[in-house]
Amino acid sequence: MPYVAVRSSATAEDIPEASFAGQQETYLNIKGTNNVLKAVQKCWASLYTARAIYYRVKNNFHHESVYIAVVVQKQIQSQKSGVIFTVNPATNDDAEIVIETGFGLGEAVVSGSIMPDEYILDKGTLRLRNKVINKQDWLFTLDNNLGYTVRRNIPEDKRSEQKLSEFEIKKLGELAVKIENHYGSAQDIEYAIEGPNIYIVQSRPVTTLKKSLSAQKNEDISSEPILKGLGASPGIAKGPVKIVLNVNDLPNIKKGDILVAKQTNPDYVVAMKKALAIVTDQGGITAHASIVSRELGIPCVVGTTNATSILKNDDIITVDGSSGKVYRGEINIKQVESEKERYGKFGPIETVTEVKVNIDLPDFAEKAASTENDGIGLLRLEMMIASNGIHPIKYIREGRDNEYIEMLVNNIGKIASFFKGKTVWVRTSDFRTDEYTDLDGSENEPKESNPMLGWHGIRRSLDDIGLLKAEFTAIKMLHDQGLTNIGVMLPFVISIDEIRKAKQVMTELGLDPCENIDFGVMIETPAACQIIKEICDEGIDFVSFGTNDLTQLTLGIDRNNEHIAKLFSELHPAVLSLIKSVIKVCKEYNVETSICGQAGSNEEMVEYLVKVGIDSISANIDAVDRIRHVVARTEKKLLLGFARREYM
Ligand code: PEP
Ligand code: MG
């Protein structure tokens, strides 16, 4: 059965020049009668999305006068593809042809998610007048195992290559002239190149010349970004800048603003909830602020180095959280389909390796629960603490432990109530001393020169034992309410002594670790990896890899430092070998293994983890459905590999 592309073509009666480009849906790599029928129906339905209705109202088209055709074409598995304009849309020069080309399927160029190569030809002679070669890091392609389109990284040495050969440029130029002559008007043509063959997959009139690109794709994407950083949370947002230099500026953030700050601390979370997007000078993608923006589902670009000096209050900007770019003005960048849209439509998939979800805030519990998950692999307390506005140490120092406990019971209880019958692993608090300086009561926090390596995690909780007691008491109260699916884990463990002491506190409060409550530790220091045998001997139910810290500490790379972010890789062989050896020991002890760091949302890492025998993966809310597919595919590959051995 062949793969096909199911594409919409909408037009308005009496207005033949209206192309309605980009307004309706296209589905690539569809296979099987049922899937084709579904895709066709979805194309029809896309005539009535909010976006399409808005477009018609704005352009004064009557809804009834718009028609849609759905075209089913053989899917071209292109290595290169793109768009040709038989008139230069940037200058309106009809003596020029402009060819844009990207690697892989055409979606990347058409959606404006990549910067394509641009070749400008003289229409009369087809001589090349100019070319701009742009680096492309990833492409869309068919995954033969999964049977649908996936995003793949391009090998480093191919990324900067010129995409079209001289022959292909000339051939495309000839075809463009032929097509324009045939229709008798300037055309916008889509093509795909598979092996030696060039396919023309679409042609439509260029309608309003100056506006053609913005209507059909992304006119302004060709404009240079004013800032480049790390894409920490995907999505596109446009709006006015509000610079936040310190906590006093936070109240200035109104709904719909773009928060621009040197760095965002988790205690900005209330303002972050109002912001449309976030841009920072500093930070890496595992910084807590990045984690929050992913959970909030708002676009975030971190580590631009100079956003707060380049941007001014009320500047209008467009933030692309996928590519990590920021543009001046309002730019039309089509949103790449969200992970939920892309993967959620395939329905439940059984996997042996469990797939769990990370969560921080009760507001997102329902969204997290709507994923295909097997429970919560990490419930962080830090974000709910930040939202609450009061530093927990203030409660403890003022003897107001009950208020802290009440806040925890309410918030954890609300989250856990969405996950009845599934395990929910709550981590005791792990706030760095520099992260919560704007919370009421943080005045007495020490000024550490290196808070990442400082007084946080279990070492802090044992020193400020009231904190640990309050957190365990909250969990005990929730157990007493019947939420016995809640387990606990300890962060930043480096010694058996820490585990022993924490267990003792639990026992005193009526929680029996490993007996009436799931008990585990985070493996996020090389020390914990080295003493994993002793940790297992001490008695634990599970471990969970905190790869954000484990990578930072193994490689000696500050996870929040944008200058060295390019060196931060959880896939470094040193990190992988630590993980593998811990899993091996845990298997001997029947201790469950899991991961809750950002790498649990990384496909390559997940494939590795499944291969070396991890029991569960906990991913970000928006990545759970995708990760379940990766897990399923890897498990199948393992089984197939095993089954095929006898034929080799
Ligand atoms: C980690 O270090 O990977 C982790 C999950 O903990 P945090 O990001 O909160 O430090
Ligand atoms: Mg950590």
Side-chain angles (χ1 to χ4, degrees), residues 385-410:
I385 288 172
S387 299
N388 185 49
I390 299 176
H391 201 290
I393 204 64
K394 182 176 166 87
Y395 289 119
I396 307 302
R397 300 233 162 102
E398 294 177 0
R400 296 159 60 198
D401 310 34
N402 282 345
E403 289 174 51
Y404 183 44
I405 294 169
E406 192 184 328
M407 185 279 287
L408 294 175
V409 168
N410 287 341

Side-chain angles (χ1 to χ4, degrees), residues 288 378 380 427 432 522 524 546-549 559 596-597:
H288 277 168
L378 169 62
R380 284 187 179 90
R427 184 179 73 179
R432 281 75 173 165
M522 298 273 294
E524 49 184 350
T547 41
N548 305 338
D549 280 313
R559 62 194 256 195
C596 61

